[in-house]
Amino acid sequence: LGALNEFLEDLALNEPQGPEERQAWRRAQADKSDFGERFLTASDRPDASPQEPMSFNEYTQLVGLCFLETGLSGAELCPEGDSIAVTADNVTRFVEEAANFWFNTGVREQVNAFRAGLNDVFPFNALKAFTRTELREMFCGEDRIDWDEQALLNHIHPTGGLTEKSPSYKFLVAVLLELGQAERSRFLDFVSSCPRLPPGGIAKFHVDVFPDTSASRQAFPRSRACANQLYLPPYTSKEELQAKLVEAMHSSAGHHEQRVRDQ
């Protein structure tokens, strides 16, 4: 759906105003062989190499896109949707109906059941005392990740043989101070499985830092996110720790889907 939506957004930038001209122009664009290069990732292209030219029409015919919830399988988006092929003429309708199914009709019963269950435990009327911003902060944590050296010293705890005077601990604090918002988010996700600070900020957060005595300097930091624990190999410089930590953070994915805005 993402590739098709991007294709539609690109069409909207230049398509003619008249309905007949627009239809003819869209059909011409659907035959252009740059669709694969511009809109598809390698995983989107079954039975074809990423370098092979492919048009919109070739792609939809190759994968058999039709009016099902994913385009390939699932619930029908309209009567006999499994027999209606996605084309340049109806791709706008397909994207709209698929999005409506994913975010509205297809999940309405589940959302209503969730709301009813939550209301039994915590009546919604009790939430009226809070603003949307306050509720978001209480449920999702702090939007901005702020810390200074003293806050890190207070809440990033050396243990297991490490002390505040240990070189690797000092390197870690220095590196964390220099991280931007996006990298701070990645660090939090790496050590806690959540890219945000909890309500109350750094004062409500802690990480225990252990020496990784079985690792060499070539090894990467590792974490036990369920316990907010970080294990550091015996690095001998701040630059060495920074390079390994950043690579470890970027290689660790799937902990949490929530994103923090760059600020």
Side-chain angles (χ1 to χ4, degrees):
L1 185 62
L4 300 185
N5 189 58
E6 291 178 7
F7 176 64
L8 285 176
E9 290 178 348
D10 186 72
L11 291 179
L13 295 175
N14 299 298
E15 64 183 4
Q17 295 300 314
E20 294 183 1
E21 293 85 353
R22 185 187 304 119
Q23 183 182 58
W25 187 79
R26 281 196 170 199
R27 290 178 178 178
Q29 298 303 305
D31 279 329
K32 295 180 66 173
S33 60
D34 63 349
F35 176 80
E37 178 183 358
R38 298 178 62 191
F39 303 107
L40 298 181
T41 65
S43 61
D44 292 326
R45 306 174 59 126
D47 304 323
S49 67
Q51 293 78 24
E52 183 179 342
M54 182 178 294
S55 69
F56 169 85
N57 287 334
E58 289 171 334
Y59 172 70
T60 56
Q61 293 168 13
L62 176 65
V63 300
L65 281 183
C66 58
F67 275 65
L68 299 178
E69 64 177 275
T70 68
L72 304 175
S73 61
E76 292 183 335
L77 300 176
C78 60
E80 300 183 354
D82 59 346
S83 62
I84 302 176
V86 176
T87 67
D89 293 336
N90 63 20
V91 63
T92 298
R93 176 188 166 204
F94 168 76
V95 170
E96 290 174 348
E97 293 194 9
N100 181 59
F101 181 88
W102 289 2
F103 301 113
N104 184 15
T105 59
V107 295
R108 184 180 297 155
E109 292 185 7
Q110 296 93 319
V111 171
N112 289 339
F114 176 80
R115 286 170 58 89
L118 182 60
N119 191 55
D120 287 342
V121 178
F122 193 93
F124 290 150
N125 285 338
L127 300 177
K128 292 181 179 180
F130 303 99
T131 66
R132 288 179 296 177
T133 301
E134 289 171 332
L135 288 172
R136 176 177 175 177
E137 184 173 310
M138 285 191 292
F139 293 140
C140 302
E142 300 274 330
D143 209 18
R144 183 170 175 82
I145 304 169
D146 287 322
W147 56 50
D148 56 24
E149 183 175 10
Q150 190 57 54
L152 291 175
L153 293 174
N154 290 341
H155 300 285
I156 308 293
H157 304 139
T159 190
L162 283 184
T163 70
E164 291 184 357
K165 296 182 179 180
S166 299
S168 57
Y169 176 76
K170 290 183 177 180
F171 298 151
L172 175 65
V173 171
V175 169
L176 294 180
L177 284 172
E178 295 178 357
L179 296 180
Q181 287 293 304
E183 293 297 271
R184 291 183 181 192
S185 175
R186 283 187 176 274
F187 174 77
L188 293 178
D189 193 37
F190 181 61
V191 297
S192 72
S193 286
C194 182
R196 296 173 180 265
L197 288 171
I202 187 68
K204 301 297 183 180
F205 182 76
H206 81 278
V207 174
D208 293 323
V209 185
F210 293 82
D212 194 344
T213 55
S214 64
S216 68
R217 289 171 50 197
Q218 286 69 45
F220 292 97
R222 58 187 180 89
S223 66
R224 292 181 61 193
C226 58
N228 285 28
Q229 294 177 352
L230 177 65
Y231 293 81
L232 294 179
Y235 301 123
T236 58
S237 71
K238 169 191 163 187
E239 291 73 21
E240 191 174 42
L241 184 148
Q242 182 176 28
K244 295 293 187 179
L245 178 62
V246 169
E247 186 166 352
M249 293 188 312
H250 282 263
S251 298
S252 176
H255 284 171
H256 205 287
E257 295 179 357
Q258 192 178 51
R259 293 185 177 179
V260 176
R261 297 194 302 266
D262 291 342
Q263 295 189 35

